[in-house]
Amino acid sequence: MSKTIRMTTAQSLVKFLDNQYVSVDGVETKFVEGVFTIFGHGIAVGLGEALDTDPGQLKVLQGRNEQGMCHAAIAFSKQNNRKKIIPCASSVGPGAANMVTACATATVNNIPLLVFPADTFASRQPDPVLQQLEQSSSLATTTNDAFKPVCKYWDRITRPEMIMSAMINAMRVLTDPAETGACCIALCQDVEGESYDFPDYFFKKRVHRITRPLAVEEELDEIADILAEAKKPLVIVGGGVRYSDAGETVEKFCEEFKIPFGETQGGKSACKSSHPYCLGGIGVTGTYASNVIAKDADVVIAIGTRLSDFTTSSKWLYQKEDVRFITINNSRFHAYKMDAVKAVGDAKVTVSALAEKLKERQYVSQYKNEIVDVKRKWDEEMVRLGSIEYTGDDFEPNIKARDPRTIPEFVRLTNGKITQTAALAAIRRVIDEDAIIITAGGSLPSCMQRMWTTDKRGGYHAEYGYSCMGYEVAATLGVKFAEPESEVYCVVGDSSFQMLHSEIMTIMQERQKVNILIFDNCGFGCINNLEMNHGIGSLATEFRYTDGKKPSGDLMTVDYAKIGEGYGLKSYTCRTIKALEDAKTQERACLFDLKVIPKTMSDGYESWWNVGIATTSENNSVREAWERVMEGRNEARKY
């Protein structure tokens, strides 16, 4: 008979979490760093008691917004290449519901996130308990059922002994590179405090081995045969290259066979920007260099990417007749996309094995000067983007579709004369070469994927799979936890900052030196462009006072530096970029309020994006836009 330990469900959960490890390439790492929590009545005296009495080696971190603390946990795991996690716990009801968006963000990006929302009472004795959502069709339905479609594993603990099988299965998913994402373990409030005689072997040290499965020989031979016939192949570097630590392997592969590569948002900084075969971002937010080469590629080798619409330009970008697709992915689901010939396996070992096959075939691509030529043209465009200056009333921004009032009004109200592309170029020049930059939804990731360069592996940290605005500020905390010796910067639009910046308080509480750069252009600039480029007016995307029917009055301005000062950050109002030098000397978190002229972001380069648009409209400009969309749909692959 095994020994047993009598403890509560919550106590057993904490003890279990403290004994989980992962092993990658023989290197063992403690998997669970701590627990992020916002205590409400659903967990304060259950899980809260366990964390207060004996947290073991787990840190207890105090969040301010449940979605925000989950974003910090996602960023922490991502920056650790999925080898560490910080679980997040919330109360029942609204606290739990706030984590749903973050769980979707984690699952879309294949990042492990473990959440413990409190649930209603298993006994149902006090029903309806405070914050309980009731459905007359089923008393078993609670807020936590909303997690099911956005999580890779879901369970509800209605008896103490259920925690054992639930947690082992959660660890199975969290440590599986092909299946990882969000895992939800809903904790019934009364059960958290109920006791059980747990077997001691439940608490033994567990080492979850993250292995490198190699694609089978038949798949390797098939893709090698296709590549051996390719004249102008192109590699797409996806997030799977980053998480597999395969950046150097892919670089050597491309050098050996003279194959250029473009990067997805998730894959950017897996390889060095300075690599001679690096073309930069690819797709809707890609560079001229990547997208021109992509149009003429006869074989596309997609490594570790989900092949989203932004990566493929809504399946329009790869236009050469009879172009073939090869996928290398540890997920069979993703490997099947685009009618690809697949090799299911870890990026690092599979690319290495494919290289051996190509060497046997004495393969080299047939590019001549094309790669050098497009890179030179893009370098010239980078210089132009980085040198755009406001010239006064005659100023013409990159984006032509605009409300003619906006720029003059913005300059008059803010005295801001910085252009977005020039600001990014200046930031890259001034901050440390090995600094980490963070971005998420909006126009900034578009400019960043095109313009940002770094040779630090993992130096570019973007959330663009779910394009979740509000990710950036919290992410700076998670990234700083992961790499405390690095300078960490986030670039965040004013609209995204307004959505969610609550974890600034946690940043200050944890005494973390991070840098928050707010690009204030008085609106949702990216979506304003989308509207106006498709024939629609500037509707509810600029920050304007309402006329009683819609926001169409004067621009509204915000002093973001004062917000930062209120939290205790060192804050700067920036009309130039000189403040960045001073911030390097600071020991506390810094906030930069950059007054950036609207419509000065970069535009698209040889790409197209399929959007839903009115097929019938009284507006002639909408009808013209619809015709352009239909042209793109006719040229794009159907699946």
Side-chain angles (χ1 to χ4, degrees):
M1 289 287 293
S2 64
K3 294 181 180 179
T4 60
I5 306 173
R6 188 162 186 80
M7 55 175 56
T8 68
T9 304
Q11 291 163 0
S12 74
L13 174 60
V14 171
K15 191 173 182 66
F16 175 86
L17 290 172
D18 198 29
N19 284 289
Q20 304 307 302
Y21 293 76
V22 295
S23 177
V24 182
D25 297 332
V27 178
E28 195 175 285
T29 306
K30 194 174 193 299
F31 189 49
V32 183
E33 184 82 0
V35 178
F36 249 123
T37 182
I38 297 177
F39 283 124
H41 73 278
I43 57 167
V45 296
L47 182 59
E49 186 280 334
L51 288 168
D52 182 53
T53 301
D54 185 12
Q57 297 179 57
L58 301 179
K59 299 174 184 176
V60 178
L61 302 164
Q62 182 181 0
R64 264 66 192 183
N65 174 282
E66 291 84 1
Q67 181 180 331
M69 71 183 183
C70 287
H71 284 169
I74 292 168
F76 174 79
S77 182
K78 176 172 180 154
Q79 201 63 28
N80 276 294
N81 276 358
R82 307 190 296 200
K83 297 168 189 168
K84 285 178 174 284
I85 63 170
I86 302 177
C88 298
S90 78
S91 191
V92 65
N98 279 349
M99 297 197 292
V100 172
T101 297
C103 284
T105 302
T107 295
V108 166
N109 288 281
N110 297 114
I111 306 294
L113 173 67
L114 178 58
V115 297
F116 297 109
D119 213 314
T120 56
F121 274 56
S123 69
R124 298 186 182 172
Q125 182 274 324
D127 281 11
V129 70
L130 180 64
Q131 297 183 333
Q132 180 173 345
L133 177 143
E134 291 184 286
Q135 285 285 3
S136 58
S137 60
S138 173
L139 295 180
T141 299
T142 75
T143 297
N144 291 338
D145 288 274
F147 285 92
K148 290 179 179 178
V150 298
C151 288
K152 287 297 191 84
Y153 181 79
W154 183 95
D155 213 337
R156 176 179 281 130
I157 308 304
T158 59
R159 292 178 57 90
E161 57 266 43
M162 291 171 63
I163 199 72
M164 294 181 284
S165 59
M167 288 311 303
I168 289 168
N169 274 286
M171 289 297 148
R172 167 183 60 82
V173 173
L174 292 165
T175 60
D176 181 349
E179 288 297 323
T180 194
C183 291
C184 172
I185 308 297
L187 302 173
C188 287
Q189 294 175 59
D190 49 348
V191 179
E192 287 178 51
E194 290 178 5
S195 297
Y196 181 78
D197 294 320
F198 289 93
D200 60 356
Y201 54 81
F202 178 57
F203 306 112
K204 69 182 180 182
K205 177 181 176 180
R206 278 184 171 79
V207 180
H208 307 272
R209 303 198 183 280
I210 300 177
T211 59
R212 296 188 179 278
L214 175 62
V216 298
E217 199 73 14
E218 295 94 327
E219 290 179 342
L220 286 168
D221 282 332
E222 188 174 12
I223 63 175
D225 287 343
I226 292 170
L227 257 177
E229 299 299 319
K231 295 178 180 178
K232 293 184 178 180
L234 171 70
V235 165
I236 302 175
V237 174
V241 175
R242 175 176 180 156
Y243 303 131
S244 176
D245 295 308
E248 190 175 354
T249 302
V250 170
E251 288 170 353
K252 289 178 179 177
F253 177 88
C254 291
E255 264 181 79
E256 176 105 33
F257 306 110
K258 303 190 185 313
I259 303 174
F261 63 87
E263 307 161 310
T264 70
Q265 290 279 11
K268 192 174 179 71
S269 78
C271 298
K272 294 181 177 181
S273 298
S274 64
H275 192 276
Y277 287 93
C278 178
L279 303 175
I282 194 166
V284 175
T285 55
T287 68
Y288 171 84
S290 276
N291 290 344
V292 165
I293 292 293
K295 286 183 178 180
D296 200 35
D298 53 2
V299 173
V300 177
I301 310 144
I303 308 174
T305 170
R306 300 183 305 122
L307 290 171
S308 73
D309 66 335
F310 262 52
T311 298
T312 67
S313 272
S314 300
K315 301 183 176 65
W316 172 91
L317 184 57
Y318 311 100
Q319 293 187 355
K320 192 173 183 65
E321 190 175 358
D322 299 326
V323 60
R324 302 288 301 273
F325 292 87
I326 290 169
T327 52
I328 296 174
N329 206 301
N330 56 25
S331 165
R332 187 169 292 273
F333 172 75
H334 294 312
Y336 262 82
K337 292 177 178 176
M338 298 288 284
D339 258 354
V341 178
K342 65 190 182 303
V344 180
D346 171 76
K348 190 172 187 178
V349 296
T350 302
V351 169
S352 294
L354 176 59
E356 294 304 313
K357 299 280 186 183
L358 293 180
K359 286 178 188 175
E360 291 172 7
R361 291 160 172 78
Q362 298 182 321
Y363 175 73
V364 178
S365 79
Q366 295 183 25
Y367 286 104
K368 293 186 174 70
N369 298 319
E370 298 94 330
I371 298 167
V372 172
D373 289 346
V374 294
K375 283 174 69 71
R376 184 183 66 253
K377 287 181 181 178
W378 180 245
D379 288 343
E380 292 169 357
E381 176 66 357
M382 284 277 281
V383 170
R384 185 190 74 84
L385 292 171
S387 60
I388 298 173
E389 295 182 350
Y390 178 69
T391 55
D393 293 341
D394 63 343
F395 177 68
E396 276 295 315
N398 277 331
I399 309 300
K400 305 306 178 188
R402 64 188 187 275
D403 184 328
R405 298 177 296 168
T406 299
I407 292 177
E409 191 176 1
F410 179 88
V411 173
R412 176 175 57 80
L413 290 172
T414 68
N415 199 32
K417 298 177 182 178
I418 306 172
T419 66
Q420 180 161 307
T421 57
L424 290 173
I427 292 165
R428 175 65 284 182
R429 287 194 304 270
V430 173
I431 69 173
D432 297 342
E433 284 295 315
D434 60 353
I436 301 168
I437 200 84
I438 298 159
T439 189
S443 71
L444 279 166
S446 301
C447 288
M448 294 287 287
Q449 194 186 12
R450 295 181 183 116
M451 295 185 66
W452 199 258
T453 58
T454 179
D455 280 356
K456 175 181 170 62
R457 301 201 195 275
Y460 180 84
H461 182 115
E463 193 300 289
Y464 211 62
Y466 207 46
S467 189
C468 188
M469 297 176 71
Y471 173 83
E472 303 93 329
V473 172
T476 62
L477 177 60
V479 171
K480 189 67 175 180
F481 278 156
E483 295 201 29
E485 302 305 316
S486 296
E487 278 286 350
V488 176
Y489 298 80
C490 80
V491 290
V492 54
D494 51 340
S495 52
S496 195
F497 181 82
Q498 288 181 20
M499 282 190 179
L500 187 61
H501 60 265
S502 54
E503 301 319 300
I504 284 180
M505 188 64 177
T506 311
I507 289 168
M508 299 304 290
Q509 182 179 35
E510 293 292 328
R511 297 186 173 93
Q512 297 298 312
K513 165 65 191 307
V514 300
N515 303 280
I516 300 166
L517 294 93
I518 303 171
F519 279 50
D520 176 14
N521 63 7
C522 284
F524 296 84
C526 175
I527 300 304
N528 184 268
N529 293 344
L530 179 66
E531 284 181 336
M532 301 195 76
N533 284 328
H534 287 80
I536 300 167
S538 179
L539 177 65
T541 47
E542 294 184 313
F543 297 155
R544 294 185 175 279
Y545 290 100
T546 183
D547 65 0
K549 293 184 178 180
K550 59 185 180 181
S552 61
D554 294 338
L555 282 177
M556 303 171 67
T557 59
V558 177
D559 190 336
Y560 295 99
K562 284 187 177 178
I563 295 174
E565 289 171 7
Y567 280 109
L569 284 77
K570 173 66 177 176
S571 295
Y572 307 84
T573 299
C574 303
R575 294 175 180 88
T576 70
I577 54 86
K578 292 179 181 177
L580 282 168
E581 291 287 3
D582 182 70
K584 290 182 181 181
T585 68
Q586 300 295 324
E587 295 183 357
R588 57 175 164 152
C590 297
L591 182 145
F592 306 82
D593 181 358
L594 283 78
K595 301 306 182 185
V596 177
I597 298 173
K599 302 291 179 175
T600 59
M601 60 284 286
S602 59
D603 206 351
Y605 293 90
E606 304 292 328
S607 63
W608 175 76
W609 187 28
N610 191 358
V611 295
I613 186 171
T615 56
T616 303
S617 176
E618 295 178 4
N619 189 333
N620 186 55
S621 60
V622 173
R623 292 197 298 272
E624 290 174 356
W626 172 77
E627 289 177 0
R628 294 195 301 271
V629 169
M630 290 308 297
E631 287 175 10
R633 290 178 183 177
N634 289 334
E635 293 170 353
R637 291 171 61 93
K638 300 306 177 187
Y639 68 94

